[in-house]
């Protein structure tokens, strides 16, 4: 049986192909699933998708009309999938509910350290043989306060690294994580966390309740010299409000691996095109902002786990088994 996988990066391809045992075979495409590319899936019972795929009602209807009966999403997030429509069409939907939390947590720290110590600016200068230190001064994180919004597996991994730096820990979540509390984390209301933290890192899922969790009011609550990091979902931050605060000269640094309007941009080469997104174009001009293209998960360990779980989800679907990864069960 052949599975059609959309949005596969070159580095991912061998890991995905190797994950499926005989007689299964993964046909990997580098194009992303949307209304224009959905007809390619005609005749494929199982389609695997990336987090930036468009799985709205219209795309699902095209897939179902072509014979697709299962969506195997290669990510934890699933806000891009119209689950009620999938259920109406009798489609099974599964995701990867778990993969290495260290991949994302370590990358979040890479962003925090890079903006704090002006690594990108320093590297650009030395390439031009400019070895001045003007404008490169950072600050010790030891003894300062790290605020972790979302203390699940990734938030806990981030907190452990912060603890290693000798930072005071504040947390906010719907449920307290005992492992984080053992590190000395104190759970506080979001407003207090934002007001007291020198470093704020986001590790919560995107859902209606968390859309623009960091809005204009939240940003104004933060310290003027705080560092803000988002390696979770772009919609957690009101980007227009963030740009407005940055224009006022606020924040030591902002590290973003995600962007709320990243669909159709991230994972693609847009270097020869005019950027139509004025907000993103303005955002990347700030010297204290570092934007990367949703790569926090992108380690061989994490992608290997994602590929393996995706293959397992397919095998379970074919065998009629159900796991915790299933969002819409087989009808």
């Amino acid at each position: 049986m052949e599975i059609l996988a959309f949005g596969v990066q070159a580095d991912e391809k061998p890991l995905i192909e190797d994950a499926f045992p005989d007689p299964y075979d993964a046909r990997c495409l580098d194009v992303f699933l949307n209304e224009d590319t959905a007809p390619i899936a005609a005749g494929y019972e199982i389609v695997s998708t990336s987090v930036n795929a468009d799985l709205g009602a219209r795309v699902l209807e095209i897939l179902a009309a072509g014979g697709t009966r299962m969506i195997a999403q290669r990510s934890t997030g699933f806000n891009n999938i119209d689950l009620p429509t999938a259920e109406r069409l009798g489609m099974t939907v599964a995701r990867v509910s778990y993969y290495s939390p260290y991949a994302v947590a370590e990358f979040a720290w890479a962003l925090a350290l890079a903006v704090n110590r002006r690594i990108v600016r320093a590297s650009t200068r030395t390439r031009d043989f400019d070895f001045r230190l003007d404008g490169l001064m950072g600050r010790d994180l030891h003894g300062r306060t790290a605020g972790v919004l979302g203390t699940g597996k990734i938030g806990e991994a981030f907190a452990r690294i912060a603890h290693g730096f000798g930072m005071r820990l504040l947390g906010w979540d719907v449920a307290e994580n005992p492992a984080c509390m053992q590190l000395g984390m104190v759970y506080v209301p979001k407003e207090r966390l934002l007001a007291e933290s020198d470093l704020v890192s986001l590790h919560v899922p995107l859902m209606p309740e968390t859309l623009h969790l960091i809005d204009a009011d939240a940003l104004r609550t933060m310290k003027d010299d705080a560092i803000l990091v988002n390696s979770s979902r772009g919609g957690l931050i009101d980007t227009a409000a963030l740009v407005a605060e940055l224009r006022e000269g606020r924040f030591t640094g902002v590290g973003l691996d995600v962007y709320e309007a990243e669909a159709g941009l991230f994972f693609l080469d847009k270097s020869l095109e005019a950027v139509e997104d004025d907000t993103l174009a303005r955002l990347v001009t700030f010297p204290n902002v570092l934007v990367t293209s949703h790569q926090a998960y992108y380690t061989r360990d994490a992608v290997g786990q994602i590929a393996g779980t995706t293959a397992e989800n397919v095998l379970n679907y074919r065998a009629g088994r159900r796991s915790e990864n299933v969002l819409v069960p087989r009808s």
Side-chain angles (χ1 to χ4, degrees):
M1 165 171 275
E2 195 171 47
I3 294 93
L4 187 62
F6 283 91
V8 177
Q9 305 296 312
D11 295 335
E12 292 178 296
K13 185 177 179 181
L15 295 174
I16 292 174
E17 290 175 338
D18 291 345
F20 286 91
D22 292 334
Y24 293 88
D25 185 32
R27 179 189 173 196
C28 297
L29 304 179
D30 59 0
V31 297
F32 291 93
L33 179 62
N34 54 41
E35 192 170 338
D36 294 328
T37 60
I40 300 173
Y44 286 90
E45 179 183 352
I46 301 169
V47 167
S48 179
T49 58
S50 65
V51 70
N52 273 354
D54 174 2
L55 286 161
R58 179 57 183 152
V59 172
L60 289 173
E61 288 168 356
I62 295 172
L63 293 175
T68 298
R69 294 293 175 262
M70 185 205 183
I71 303 294
Q73 174 116 318
R74 303 188 307 277
S75 73
T76 299
F78 54 90
N79 55 285
N80 61 320
I81 308 174
D82 187 334
L83 296 180
T85 296
E87 185 173 15
R88 174 175 61 80
L89 294 170
M91 303 176 80
T92 297
V93 180
R95 62 162 179 164
V96 177
S97 59
Y98 174 85
Y99 59 86
S100 169
Y102 309 107
V104 179
E106 290 170 5
F107 193 84
W109 268 103
L111 291 174
L113 293 171
V115 296
N116 178 41
R117 301 305 299 268
R118 313 288 194 265
I119 299 298
V120 175
R121 186 186 302 179
S123 177
T124 301
R125 282 188 185 179
T126 55
R127 283 178 177 271
D128 293 330
F129 296 97
D130 178 353
F131 300 104
R132 293 172 300 160
L133 298 182
D134 295 346
L136 301 183
M137 184 175 286
R139 58 180 175 173
D140 290 2
L141 293 174
H142 176 84
R144 288 188 162 85
T145 300
V148 186
L149 291 164
T151 57
K153 292 183 175 65
I154 298 174
E156 178 188 332
F158 184 90
R160 289 189 181 279
I161 298 171
H163 180 71
F165 273 94
M167 300 186 76
R168 171 186 177 230
L169 295 173
L170 296 180
W172 176 86
D173 207 328
V174 293
E176 297 179 350
N177 184 337
C180 290
M181 297 175 70
Q182 289 179 359
L183 297 173
M185 176 177 285
V186 177
Y187 282 85
V188 296
K190 182 184 74 172
E191 292 72 21
R192 179 182 166 190
L193 182 149
L194 295 174
E196 296 184 15
S197 295
D198 300 290
L199 166 61
V200 174
S201 191
L202 309 181
H203 302 287
V204 300
L206 179 61
M207 56 186 70
E209 297 81 9
T210 60
L211 177 65
H212 288 179
L213 180 70
I214 305 299
D215 56 13
D217 289 339
L219 290 165
R220 285 192 289 268
T221 302
M222 294 175 62
K223 295 180 178 182
D224 288 343
D225 60 353
I227 294 171
L228 174 63
V229 173
N230 186 11
S231 58
S232 184
R233 289 291 181 267
L236 298 176
I237 297 178
D238 182 340
T239 313
L242 175 60
V243 168
E245 295 301 309
L246 288 165
R247 291 180 65 179
E248 296 297 319
R250 300 192 63 222
F251 305 130
T252 288
V254 175
L256 304 175
D257 185 52
V258 287
Y259 174 60
E260 59 180 326
E262 69 182 52
L265 289 173
F266 283 21
F267 306 139
L268 299 172
D269 182 1
K270 297 289 185 177
S271 61
L272 299 179
E273 302 176 25
V275 178
E276 298 179 358
D277 189 325
D278 292 339
T279 302
L280 178 60
R282 184 69 181 93
L283 188 64
V284 299
T285 65
F286 292 104
N288 58 334
V289 174
L290 174 57
V291 178
T292 52
S293 55
H294 206 139
Q295 67 183 81
Y297 78 98
Y298 207 54
T299 68
R300 179 170 296 276
D301 308 85
V303 173
Q305 288 178 312
I306 290 169
T309 301
T310 300
E312 183 180 347
N313 288 340
V314 169
L315 296 177
N316 285 338
Y317 161 78
R318 293 288 293 170
R321 296 187 295 266
R322 183 173 177 178
S323 74
E324 69 277 8
N325 295 326
V326 175
L327 300 170
V328 179
R330 185 172 187 171
S331 58

